[in-house]
Amino acid sequence: MEVKKNSFKKTESKIEILPKPFKIVSFRINGSEQPNLVLKEGESTTLSWRVEGENIQVKLLPYGNDVKPVDSIKLPVNQAFPPQIALQVNDISGKQQPQQRGFAITVIKKVVPTPTPIPSINPIPSTLPRNNSPFKTPFPQR
């Protein structure tokens, strides 16, 4: 029995492996996904997010710093609080379009109550002229 040797040509075919599509599963402020939020100055707020995907870069804007795909942070609400906060996800290989999800935020200023005047216990009698002190100095003034 004769075995025929088949000559196989080695063909190189490049198969491009695309990364699994990423997605922003959730992005919440104080548990809410409402796009427009009103926060009160002086309180604190919790941002939480979950992003799925491979070879991704997750940023918290406007801060611009890289964050973990699943995390949360607590921020104080003050007048410096940004009017918009967004979660931006980029594909490191550049094969997928960036995704972004965000919030428009209005900060309500803390209302400082005006103090009610407390009546003084010993009112100065209005009969005394204010510039003359009832206390006389023992030394003659020059």
Side-chain angles (χ1 to χ4, degrees), residues 57-136:
Q57 178 186 47
V58 183
K59 287 183 180 277
L60 191 60
L61 304 175
Y63 304 107
N65 51 332
D66 288 8
V67 292
K68 295 178 194 165
V70 178
D71 207 354
S72 68
I73 59 168
K74 203 167 193 166
L75 295 172
V77 179
N78 52 33
Q79 285 305 307
F81 202 85
Q84 292 181 325
I85 289 183
L87 193 67
Q88 184 181 50
V89 185
N90 293 304
D91 177 9
I92 293 172
S93 63
K95 305 243 189 288
Q96 298 179 67
Q97 287 294 316
Q99 287 183 22
Q100 189 167 311
R101 190 180 298 178
F103 295 94
I105 296 160
T106 304
V107 174
I108 297 177
K109 284 188 177 185
K110 192 183 220 177
V111 179
V112 180
T114 51
T116 42
I118 301 168
S120 56
I121 298 168
N122 295 323
I124 300 172
S126 58
T127 55
L128 285 177
R130 293 208 182 238
N131 56 1
N132 281 348
S133 170
F135 304 106
K136 300 287 179 199

Side-chain angles (χ1 to χ4, degrees), residues 4-12:
K4 284 187 179 178
K5 287 186 178 178
N6 289 339
S7 62
F8 288 103
K9 280 189 179 175
K10 197 173 184 183
T11 56
E12 278 190 39

